[in-house]
Amino acid sequence: MSAPNRQAAVLPAVDVARSGAASVLSSRNILVAFVAVLAIAPVLLPEFYITLLNYIGLAAMVALGLVLLTGVGGLTSFGQAAFVGVGAYTTAVLTTSQALPAWLAWAGSPWPALAVGLLITATVALILGSLTLRLSGHYLPLGTIAWGISLYFMFGTMETLGGHSGLSGIPPINLFGWVMDEGREIFYLIWAFLLVAALTTENLLDSREGRAIRALKGGMVMAEAMGVDTSRSRMVIFVIAAMHAAAAGWLYAHLQRFVNPSPFGVHVGIEYLFMAVVGGAGQVWGAIAGAGVITILKQWLQDWLPKVFGASGNFETIIFGLMMVVILQRARDGLWPLLARLVPARGTTRVIDASAEPLPRKAMPAAGEVILEAKNVTRRFGGLVANNDMNLHVEAGEILALIGPNGAGKSTMFNQLSGVDTPTSGEVLFRGKSIAGHGSREIAHLGMSRSFQHVRLLPKMSVLENVAIGAHLRGTKSVLPSAWRLDRVEEARILREAAFQIERVGLGEFMHAEAGSLALGQQRILEIARALASDPCLLLLDEPAAGLRLKEKQALGELMKKLRGEGMAILLVEHDMDFVMGLVDRVVVMEFGQKIAEGLPDEVQKNPRVLEAYLGGVE
């Protein structure tokens, strides 16, 4: 049966989740009500509250970038305030200078200065990101502190930027003759910028590119094995977060009509990070909640604590710090999930368009063709030899088991074959092409996919979205089309493919459940579905039967036989000998990093060296 017809046979069973439309409608109604409140706020509220809302909007824009960078991508940055400064100082210099060079004279008004500021910020972010994002662990946030401090002192040191006295006389923003020279006028522009940024960020996360960004938290090895360019994804969110901050800086400069270095220090960057975390680090709309709570709380403390404790001292900072600790303890996921519970959800499922065109498939290799071949592969770690002169091959349409006692070197061999590690010597060929030294992402594009010994899923994402990550390499739409909803045709095709693979492995009833809610055995099956979504001709399965009950093992065995019948090659590492011997075509046995036996299952079970090393010894 051809691939499209196979899908047609499965997809009618997929639940077309119309309840998702109700959820969208409910969210849209809330958004419309929120915009309506914002529209009438300047008419009803006094000047003080308008100013407060303006600062909340500006802070929320910076926090929104941190939601994407830290909450979703897992990259902690303390330097976002410096990017606010880049945007603010760029427009301040351009719009107040009386002697711009002729080639830059066009940028002497606010709107062109915004474009220049975003361009400069993107350039600076690319340079800093190329240095900082190579760091990991605690070195990454320390790196952001380092360049955050450097930019802060640069703002106060350079005479062209006004030194510590700053720059004044910044003109107001003019939009089609509307001069925004007061807080009430610029209010609408600030919140329009914020809402557009929030909606485009939400669109981005609900896309192929967004799943790649969210996959960063599942680990680089998993994401790369699914075809995600993790270095690019990290850089993308770093630059987007910087540009959100720069736009906030541009608005701030024209709101204040004056800039100096004080709002752009690392201490303010820490405050922005607080806003993102308190609001809900992984929640787009949590940025607004966090910015609102912290801005209002600080203002309230500054107004009331001096009346209680007297005018001297920084009691508001002390109390604010203690309150932040309590909030982080009591609401570890932030405030937005708590607020979201107040609105009953009508549906959380995704619509699967069964009429979407299937994704193209690669032609499967001819039965018996050698798909993967390892020749004299050796891997040394100092004086330890983990793999020693290993040879094996896998043919299309067969299941090969790689077995051996613990410490035999199976996982190391797996890593050499899948591109996670590079052999010290020897050669690995995949469909005749040498892949030793090539990354797992590149190998995934050639048609190899894998599961993991320790399950690597995104537990808060649905089963459908986890499997859709596997189809990442089969799409092409990038950041801008995703942010502006120009990727919907491709997205429908990817979700259709994911739904097909979920039904194929027997998890259809869990399609819209959170992956973390599944039992361990079901999660292992889910990993196979994700691997299949990449359209491989070779599957590397690392202990897929671990944790499965008898019937689940039987279903897994039937699935693997079905895949073999379609021409797929499967390399299997497994400890369950009953499962292996009744399923596979050939067996390779390892001990102490070397191959000690190879052959048919019956032959291997009778091999004296195998019996001695692995199956309990010769009687």
Side-chain angles (χ1 to χ4, degrees):
M1 184 181 290
S2 67
N5 289 335
R6 286 202 310 271
Q7 285 204 18
V10 174
L11 280 172
V14 176
D15 176 28
V16 179
R18 294 184 177 87
S19 59
S23 177
V24 172
L25 184 61
S26 175
S27 301
R28 189 174 298 164
N29 289 339
I30 294 172
L31 179 60
V32 169
F34 180 63
V35 171
V37 170
L38 288 176
I40 63 172
V43 178
L44 302 178
L45 296 177
E47 191 69 33
F48 171 79
Y49 292 105
I50 296 301
T51 302
L52 198 62
L53 285 172
N54 283 338
Y55 283 118
I56 289 172
L58 294 173
M61 282 192 67
V62 187
L64 179 62
L66 284 168
V67 164
L68 191 61
L69 185 64
T70 302
V72 178
L75 306 175
T76 303
S77 173
F78 293 98
Q80 291 305 107
F83 287 127
V84 180
V86 173
Y89 270 102
T90 299
T91 194
V93 169
L94 291 175
T95 58
T96 61
S97 176
Q98 303 299 316
L100 287 177
W103 62 271
L104 196 57
W106 61 273
S109 58
W111 289 103
L114 171 62
V116 174
L118 292 176
L119 180 61
I120 291 175
T121 301
T123 303
V124 172
L126 285 169
I127 295 170
L128 294 176
S130 65
L131 300 173
T132 309
L133 297 180
R134 296 180 182 180
L135 304 173
S136 59
H138 59 277
Y139 296 107
L140 175 59
L142 286 174
T144 66
I145 290 174
W147 56 253
I149 292 173
S150 298
L151 288 173
Y152 169 73
F153 278 101
M154 184 190 76
F155 298 147
T157 302
M158 294 182 65
E159 289 299 324
T160 55
L161 301 182
H164 287 286
S165 299
L167 295 171
S168 59
I170 301 171
I173 297 170
N174 187 313
L175 181 63
F176 303 117
W178 179 19
V179 179
M180 302 179 191
D181 54 355
E182 293 184 4
R184 291 182 187 275
E185 278 81 14
I186 202 171
F187 171 89
Y188 292 108
L189 187 62
I190 289 172
W191 281 90
F193 264 63
L194 175 58
L195 290 175
V196 169
L199 290 171
T200 53
T201 301
E202 197 170 54
N203 291 345
L204 175 62
L205 292 176
D206 181 29
S207 69
R208 167 185 175 270
E209 193 75 44
R211 283 189 295 272
I213 293 167
R214 288 186 281 171
L216 295 174
K217 275 197 168 182
M220 301 299 174
V221 174
M222 182 278 286
E224 289 280 337
M226 296 300 110
V228 175
D229 186 342
T230 56
S231 296
R232 177 186 172 278
S233 293
R234 286 157 65 96
M235 184 63 78
V236 162
I237 56 177
F238 189 78
V239 171
I240 290 174
M243 294 179 75
H244 280 335
W250 176 77
L251 289 163
Y252 170 82
H254 292 286
L255 170 67
Q256 291 289 100
R257 314 278 293 278
F258 167 80
V259 293
N260 71 353
S262 59
F264 312 127
V266 170
H267 66 289
V268 183
I270 294 172
E271 195 171 294
Y272 288 135
L273 191 58
F274 264 129
M275 292 177 183
V277 173
V278 168
Q283 308 292 328
V284 169
W285 300 100
I288 300 176
V293 166
I294 289 184
T295 303
I296 292 171
L297 184 59
K298 283 188 65 180
Q299 185 63 49
W300 182 80
L301 290 174
Q302 288 172 2
D303 290 344
W304 286 96
L305 288 181
K307 297 178 181 178
V308 177
F309 295 104
S312 62
N314 294 315
F315 291 107
E316 70 274 6
T317 304
I318 298 170
I319 301 298
F320 176 77
L322 293 174
M323 293 181 75
M324 286 302 98
V325 172
V326 172
I327 291 174
L328 293 175
Q329 283 183 336
R330 298 295 181 182
R332 306 198 63 150
D333 293 328
L335 298 176
W336 185 254
L338 300 178
L339 296 174
R341 291 177 194 168
L342 301 178
V343 181
R346 294 188 175 183
T348 57
T349 53
R350 298 289 300 272
V351 176
I352 308 301
D353 184 1
S355 65
E357 183 180 352
L359 292 172
R361 295 188 179 278
K362 304 184 188 80
M364 294 297 287
E369 178 185 331
V370 175
I371 299 296
L372 180 69
E373 187 173 12
K375 296 182 178 180
N376 308 115
V377 170
T378 298
R379 183 66 171 102
R380 292 186 177 89
F381 298 95
L384 174 66
V385 181
N387 293 144
N388 187 15
D389 204 30
M390 275 293 300
N391 292 276
L392 61 81
H393 72 278
V394 188
E395 299 175 2
E398 79 161 349
I399 303 174
L400 173 69
L402 181 63
I403 68 172
N406 290 331
K410 305 183 300 297
S411 295
T412 304
M413 190 65 191
F414 231 56
N415 289 338
Q416 314 307 307
L417 299 176
S418 60
V420 175
D421 198 5
T422 302
T424 305
S425 63
E427 191 174 17
V428 180
L429 301 174
F430 180 56
R431 304 201 72 176
K433 179 179 179 179
S434 177
I435 59 172
H438 293 247
S440 54
R441 172 168 46 88
E442 183 181 348
I443 295 172
H445 279 272
L446 296 175
M448 182 191 300
S449 197
R450 63 169 295 179
S451 67
F452 296 88
Q453 182 179 2
H454 303 291
V455 174
R456 300 191 183 186
L457 298 170
L458 282 303
K460 294 295 185 181
M461 286 172 58
S462 69
V463 168
L464 180 69
E465 289 184 299
N466 269 275
V467 175
I469 291 172
H472 175 83
L473 54 77
R474 300 171 69 184
T476 59
K477 298 298 183 183
S478 189
V479 176
L480 289 179
S482 300
W484 294 100
R485 280 290 200 244
L486 303 177
D487 65 334
R488 293 299 90 184
V489 173
E490 180 181 271
E491 179 71 0
R493 298 177 72 187
I494 288 175
L495 293 179
R496 184 184 194 273
E497 174 68 21
F500 165 65
Q501 299 298 349
I502 292 167
E503 290 284 348
R504 191 181 188 187
V505 301
L507 293 178
E509 62 181 300
F510 304 104
M511 189 173 300
H512 304 290
E514 285 189 355
S517 69
L518 270 59
L520 176 60
Q522 293 169 329
Q523 290 182 6
R524 292 192 179 280
I525 299 294
L526 173 56
E527 279 206 323
I528 295 176
R530 184 180 64 193
L532 289 172
S534 69
D535 190 29
C537 62
L538 171 64
L539 276 179
L540 304 184
L541 303 181
D542 199 350
E543 299 188 28
L548 270 64
R549 295 184 291 269
L550 177 60
K551 288 188 176 181
E552 291 174 330
K553 289 180 182 179
Q554 291 172 345
L556 174 61
E558 290 302 315
L559 171 63
M560 293 172 67
K561 290 176 183 177
K562 181 180 176 182
L563 295 173
R564 176 178 59 188
E566 295 174 3
M568 189 169 295
I570 300 174
L571 175 59
L572 172 71
V573 168
E574 186 54 67
H575 285 293
D576 188 331
M577 289 301 101
D578 291 335
F579 177 75
V580 168
M581 295 305 175
L583 173 67
V584 305
D585 300 292
R586 290 187 300 115
V587 180
V588 171
V589 186
M590 293 182 66
E591 184 186 25
F592 300 122
Q594 294 180 307
K595 181 168 69 174
I596 62 171
E598 180 176 4
L600 300 174
D602 290 340
E603 296 172 350
V604 167
Q605 290 183 86
K606 297 173 185 177
N607 188 300
R609 291 192 67 186
V610 176
L611 292 171
E612 182 178 357
Y614 193 80
L615 299 177
V618 181
E619 295 182 357

